[in-house]
């Protein structure tokens, strides 16, 4: 059994990476990666995908886990500089306080690429940054709903992320932009589920009671898949069919939402890709081979997945990534 | 006699609960509607009970701990550990009853560890249990390797989402636990022992109570309650979420105990009132969900209600009510 799991993971990895041969400029290079920690499944997946991407391209990756502390990241970066690595990837835990250490890297002529989050530092201190566009994630989700319901009247309930958190604000904003001008679609209730399954379930239970046993609800939009998974259970408990009586759309594309899709209980999810390192390595490759300075902000794709995208296959691919 | 019993039911807590429920009803007219669906009761009131269970069960253990002049900050983390243990065991192919027993045993071990730190190393409870509050979540994350371990075992899922006699299983478990623990502490001298240790441990020891052993038992019981709570929360979402299960619930449990009128200085406690406190907290939470307030108001509303309850319980308010009563009695006598 274990063997088959491994086989499936290997197949998934192979599928994740395009078959194109990678340029030699990266081969044998040493690149340091200062990761924040492993506070969420997505973060763990980002780490494993980064390691896979490096291995695939023949990069010698030096990995440092900062355990949520900036001082550990600064120490790690200084360590990388002392070792004379060829480039440094950083997923910064906070946005301030980077000027000094990034300056040291610049003096040592080591290019730095920021992953997933930005910093408040002069832009000449880093080569580029790779991140997702959270507003766009919400917009893609909203566009899907607009297209799916057409002219039908549709009451949406929204499970927000943690109040005041950037992804919650941006994913809400993007979704609202998408449904703007479509008066048939209305957000009737919006509450926070703190990005967790159990709160998502509790909030959805409340919404169902408040909206006539769920009969008034046409769709549920969750700011992350975990809340959606909780919400799906609440819909089922109320005797309704998630995915049919209540459409389910969410953001993140973690493995468990694909499980729900296999059972036709979820309709769409927008991927927050854990592959931030791939575009970063590509940018480095271009920089080293043709001296091409990349754009300052590389935005990753916000890909939409629906049950038509072979959820079983995607699930198998993602399952081994540590989500 | 009858009147006296009735008047005992009129206390700040029951009044607060009734007021919160009425406000919910005013904000959402269907609040009291309870229907029968798929062989179980279904409605907002049932949600209040069902969602209040994790904190209510924590509060049962916490009441006893606080009565000894202690506090147990680790219960949220112990919930995460218990859920993680049960989930990983069933996904590794062990039978469900083994997983449940192991989770409960781990909970007791965690509690006993706290108890030993408090009773024999004489570390202040807030510090002693802080250790496990921080480390415990890390242990849970180690067990689950940082991801949410999902399972499909029917017994574990039944604990979290099943129903018995129309009531959600968690509510049934909480009622059983409540009745048993109240019976245990009030039908024997155990309750008195706990209170005496809370008032003055040295005096209690001199009076012949083996206070060290008692403290270990009380913290062990709190750990057990946390483990039960952890199983329910994991069963509810069919998975163990080490990062979030029980997060900050220790504070809600302490709040429930305090709303129930148990003093943090120890010595006097009521398990039933603590459970009532937990239900009040959940009635507010559910009320906010069905009322349609924007989420930015959640904490403000909660804080407002809690301040109101505490004001009602304060010595000043009690004195004021007493003096009004006396004045009325005097006036009646004079006429």
């Amino acid at each position: 059994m274990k063997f088959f799991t491994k086989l499936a993971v290997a197949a998934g990895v192979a599928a994740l990476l395009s078959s194109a041969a990678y340029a030699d400029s990266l081969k044998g290079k040493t690149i340091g990666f200062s990761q924040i920690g492993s506070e969420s499944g997505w973060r763990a997946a980002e780490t494993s995908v980064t390691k896979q991407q490096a291995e695939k391209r023949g990069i010698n990756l030096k990995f440092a886990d900062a355990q949520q502390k900036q001082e550990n990241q600064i120490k790690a970066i200084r360590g990388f500089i002392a070792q004379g690595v060829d480039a440094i990837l950083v997923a910064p835990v906070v946005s301030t306080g980077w000027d000094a250490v990034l300056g040291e890297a610049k003096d040592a002529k080591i290019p730095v690429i920021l992953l997933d989050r930005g910093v408040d530092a002069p832009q000449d201190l880093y080569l580029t940054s790779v991140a997702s566009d959270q507003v766009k994630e919400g917009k893609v989700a909203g566009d899907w709903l607009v297209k799916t319901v057409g002219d039908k009247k549709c009451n949406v309930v929204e499970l927000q992320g943690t109040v005041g958190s950037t992804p919650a604000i941006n994913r809400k904003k993007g979704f609202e932009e998408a449904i703007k001008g479509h008066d048939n679609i209305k957000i009737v209730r919006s509450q926070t589920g703190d990005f967790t399954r159990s709160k998502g379930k509790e909030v959805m239970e409340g919404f169902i009671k408040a909206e006539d046993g769920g009969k008034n609800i046409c769709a549920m939009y969750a700011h992350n898949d975990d809340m959606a998974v909780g919400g799906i259970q609440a819909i089922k408990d109320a005797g309704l069919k998630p995915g049919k009586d209540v459409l389910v759309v969410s953001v993140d594309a973690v493995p468990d939402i694909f499980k729900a899709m296999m059972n036709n209980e979820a309709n769409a999810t927008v991927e927050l890709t854990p592959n931030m390192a791939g575009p970063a390595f590509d940018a480095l490759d271009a920089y080293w081979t043709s001296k091409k300075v990349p754009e300052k902000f590389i935005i990753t794709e916000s890909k939409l997945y629906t049950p038509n995208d072979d959820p079983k296959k995607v699930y198998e691919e993602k399952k081994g990534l540590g989500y | 006699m009858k009147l006296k019993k009735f008047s005992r039911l009129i206390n700040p807590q029951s009044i607060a609960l009734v007021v919160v429920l009425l406000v919910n009803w005013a904000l959402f007219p269907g609040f009291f509607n309870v229907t029968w669906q798929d062989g179980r009761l279904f409605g907002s009131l049932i949600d209040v009970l069902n969602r209040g269970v994790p904190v209510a069960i924590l509060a049962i253990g916490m009441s006893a701990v606080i009565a000894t002049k202690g506090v147990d900050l680790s219960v949220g983390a112990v919930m995460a550990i218990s859920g993680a243990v049960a989930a990983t065991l069933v996904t590794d192919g062990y039978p469900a009853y083994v997983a449940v027993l192991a989770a409960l045993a781990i909970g007791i071990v965690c509690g006993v560890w706290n108890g030993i730190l408090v009773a024999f190393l004489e570390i202040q409870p807030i510090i002693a249990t802080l250790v496990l509050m921080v480390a415990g979540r890390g242990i849970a994350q180690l067990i689950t390797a940082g991801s949410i371990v999902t399972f499909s075992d029917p017994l574990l899922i039944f604990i979290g989402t099943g129903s018995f006699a129309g009531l959600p299983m968690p509510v049934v478990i909480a009622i059983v636990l409540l009745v048993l623990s109240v019976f245990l502490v009030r039908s024997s001298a155990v309750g008195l022992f706990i209170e005496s240790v809370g008032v003055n441990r040295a005096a209690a020891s001199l009076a012949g109570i083996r206070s060290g052993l008692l403290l270990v038992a009380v913290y062990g019981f709190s750990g057990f309650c946390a483990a039960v709570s952890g199983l329910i929360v994991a069963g509810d979402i069919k998975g163990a979420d080490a990062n979030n299960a029980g997060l900050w619930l220790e504070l809600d449990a302490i709040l429930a105990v305090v709303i129930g009128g148990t003093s943090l200085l120890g010595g006097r406690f009521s398990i039933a009132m603590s459970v009532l406190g937990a239900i009040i907290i959940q009635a507010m939470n559910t009320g906010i969900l069905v009322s349609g307030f924007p989420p930015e108001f959640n904490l403000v509303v909660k804080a407002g209600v809690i301040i109101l309850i505490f004001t009602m319980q304060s010595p000043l308010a009690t004195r004021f009510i007493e003096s009004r009563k006396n004045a009325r009695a005097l006036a009646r006598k004079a006429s």
Side-chain angles (χ1 to χ4, degrees):
Chain A
M1 192 59 220
K2 270 256 166 76
F3 172 73
F4 284 108
T5 327
K6 270 188 190 152
L7 203 67
V9 171
V13 171
L16 260 181
L17 309 166
S18 70
S19 54
Y22 292 107
D24 280 343
S25 82
L26 293 170
K27 207 163 202 169
K29 285 277 196 314
T30 303
I31 295 178
F33 175 32
S34 170
Q35 175 63 293
I36 294 177
S38 54
E39 75 280 5
S40 66
W42 182 85
R43 186 69 59 195
E46 186 193 36
T47 302
S48 42
V49 171
T50 304
K51 286 178 177 167
Q52 286 166 5
Q53 290 280 336
E55 203 180 342
K56 183 82 189 167
R57 293 159 205 250
I59 295 167
N60 174 20
L61 189 80
K62 291 199 179 298
F63 178 74
D65 183 338
Q67 300 185 328
Q68 316 292 328
K69 289 206 177 83
Q70 189 181 23
E71 63 258 37
N72 290 346
Q73 291 206 294
I74 292 175
K75 251 187 256 168
I77 295 171
R78 295 218 164 107
F80 292 146
I81 296 171
Q83 293 166 33
V85 297
D86 298 301
I88 296 173
L89 305 183
V90 193
V93 61
V94 292
S95 59
T96 52
W98 295 100
D99 301 48
V101 72
L102 292 185
E104 288 166 34
K106 193 183 173 181
D107 291 344
K109 300 207 163 36
I110 300 172
V112 174
I113 298 185
L114 308 174
L115 295 190
D116 163 46
R117 301 186 188 184
V119 299
D120 292 335
Q123 291 193 359
D124 62 319
L125 290 180
Y126 52 91
L127 183 67
T128 178
S129 64
V130 183
S132 71
D133 181 348
Q134 292 165 340
V135 178
K136 196 171 134 210
E137 286 159 8
K139 192 161 179 320
V140 172
D143 287 339
W144 174 84
L145 188 68
V146 167
K147 221 176 77 194
T148 307
V149 297
D151 294 332
K152 267 189 302 179
K153 186 173 167 317
C154 185
N155 287 340
V156 182
V157 295
E158 182 182 34
L159 305 183
Q160 293 187 31
T162 309
V163 177
S165 68
T166 330
I169 294 168
N170 290 339
R171 287 173 181 177
K172 183 173 174 58
K173 194 173 142 206
F175 188 81
E176 282 168 354
E177 277 173 18
I179 61 170
K180 209 176 188 176
H182 299 271
D183 295 334
N184 54 326
I185 300 174
K186 217 171 77 193
I187 298 179
V188 287
R189 282 184 188 262
S190 182
Q191 255 293 347
T192 174
D194 280 332
F195 285 128
T196 69
R197 272 182 208 210
S198 52
K199 280 288 280 181
K201 184 173 180 185
E202 183 183 341
V203 172
M204 195 59 198
E205 275 178 4
F207 284 172
I208 289 170
K209 307 284 165 5
E211 294 294 334
D212 193 17
K215 289 183 200 80
N216 282 340
I217 303 173
C218 136
M220 171 178 87
Y221 167 50
H223 288 185
N224 78 345
D225 288 340
D226 275 328
M227 289 192 293
V229 169
I232 287 170
Q233 290 179 10
I235 297 170
K236 277 202 277 192
D237 287 351
L240 298 168
K241 283 206 178 62
K244 203 162 152 244
D245 298 334
V246 178
L247 300 173
V248 176
V249 53
S250 51
V251 185
D252 268 1
V254 304
D256 280 350
I257 201 75
F258 292 101
K259 242 194 208 165
M261 267 186 203
M262 285 186 239
N263 301 329
N264 288 318
E265 291 172 351
N267 303 86
T269 185
V270 183
E271 185 179 44
L272 166 60
T273 177
N275 183 12
M276 302 269 166
F281 290 145
D282 290 343
L284 272 177
D285 183 33
Y287 179 64
W288 280 328
T289 44
S290 54
K291 283 276 160 235
K292 189 177 152 246
V293 178
E295 286 176 60
K296 270 296 157 203
F297 301 99
I298 300 173
I299 304 293
T300 55
E301 188 191 5
S302 299
K303 191 176 169 198
L304 182 80
Y305 284 95
T306 65
N308 299 329
D309 295 304
D310 197 357
K312 194 163 171 5
K313 189 171 145 251
V314 186
Y315 173 73
E316 295 293 337
E317 282 169 16
K318 289 195 165 240
K319 182 171 78 163
L321 295 179
Y323 271 109
Chain B
M1 183 65 206
K2 251 189 184 161
L3 254 175
K4 205 173 165 196
K5 261 203 171 146
F6 180 70
S7 72
R8 264 183 65 192
L9 281 177
I10 303 180
N11 50 39
Q13 290 83 1
S14 335
I15 296 172
L17 180 61
V18 170
V19 169
V20 170
L21 291 177
L22 286 178
V23 169
N24 289 350
W25 178 59
L27 291 171
F28 169 53
F31 190 78
F32 289 116
N33 295 355
V34 173
T35 54
W36 186 265
Q37 186 177 317
D38 301 334
R40 63 164 87 191
L41 294 165
F42 184 85
S44 291
L45 270 185
I46 305 299
D47 282 355
V48 170
L49 292 177
N50 193 22
R51 293 289 152 213
V53 161
V55 171
I57 291 181
L58 291 183
I60 292 175
M62 189 71 79
S63 308
V65 171
I66 288 181
T68 66
K69 212 186 206 166
V71 71
D72 188 350
L73 294 183
S74 71
V75 287
V78 173
M79 279 174 71
I81 296 178
S82 125
V85 166
T88 38
L89 283 180
V90 290
T91 47
D92 283 353
Y94 288 90
Y97 72 91
V98 173
V100 170
L101 290 178
L104 296 178
I106 290 276
I108 295 174
V109 168
C110 290
V112 166
W113 159 264
N114 285 332
I116 290 172
L117 291 187
V118 172
F120 298 110
L121 300 186
E122 301 195 11
I123 301 173
Q124 284 179 343
I126 198 167
I127 305 298
T129 56
L130 186 67
V131 175
L132 200 56
M133 174 185 171
V134 178
R137 196 157 293 282
I139 294 170
Q141 286 163 346
L142 273 181
I143 296 171
T144 62
S147 58
I148 299 178
V149 178
T150 50
F151 50 79
S152 52
D153 180 84
L155 177 67
L156 283 190
I157 293 174
F158 182 75
I159 291 174
T161 64
S163 61
F164 181 79
L167 282 175
M169 199 56 203
V171 176
V172 176
I173 295 173
I175 291 172
V176 170
L177 209 56
L178 171 67
V179 170
L180 284 182
S181 49
V182 169
F183 180 76
L184 179 76
V185 297
R186 292 306 171 201
S187 74
S188 70
V190 172
L192 215 55
F193 290 169
I194 292 173
E195 288 174 343
S196 67
V197 169
V199 172
N200 188 330
R201 187 177 164 193
S205 297
L206 287 174
I209 295 171
R210 296 173 70 179
S211 61
L213 212 61
L214 187 86
L215 280 174
V216 172
V218 165
Y219 280 89
F221 176 62
S222 176
F224 170 78
C225 289
V228 174
S229 221
L231 282 174
I232 289 173
V233 167
D236 182 38
I237 59 164
K238 305 183 175 83
D241 183 351
N243 292 334
N244 298 305
L247 193 64
W248 307 126
L249 282 198
E250 55 278 342
L251 297 182
D252 271 7
I254 295 171
L255 183 64
V257 173
V258 175
I259 289 179
T262 297
S263 161
L264 286 179
L265 294 174
R268 193 170 56 101
F269 72 114
S270 165
I271 290 177
M273 292 303 276
S274 300
V275 171
L276 189 64
I279 295 172
I280 293 174
I281 296 176
Q282 189 55 42
M284 280 190 287
N285 288 342
T286 305
I288 290 169
L289 288 184
V290 293
S291 68
F293 281 137
E296 288 78 6
F297 282 96
N298 293 4
L299 299 175
V300 180
V301 171
K302 232 170 132 177
V305 175
I306 288 163
I307 291 172
L308 209 68
I309 295 174
F310 286 156
T311 317
M312 271 159 53
Q313 289 179 3
S314 69
L316 189 73
T318 326
R319 274 203 300 273
F320 178 72
I321 294 167
E322 286 294 312
S323 70
R324 285 293 297 270
K325 249 192 223 159
N326 289 343
R328 230 179 299 150
L330 275 177
R332 219 176 300 139
K333 239 180 209 170
S335 68

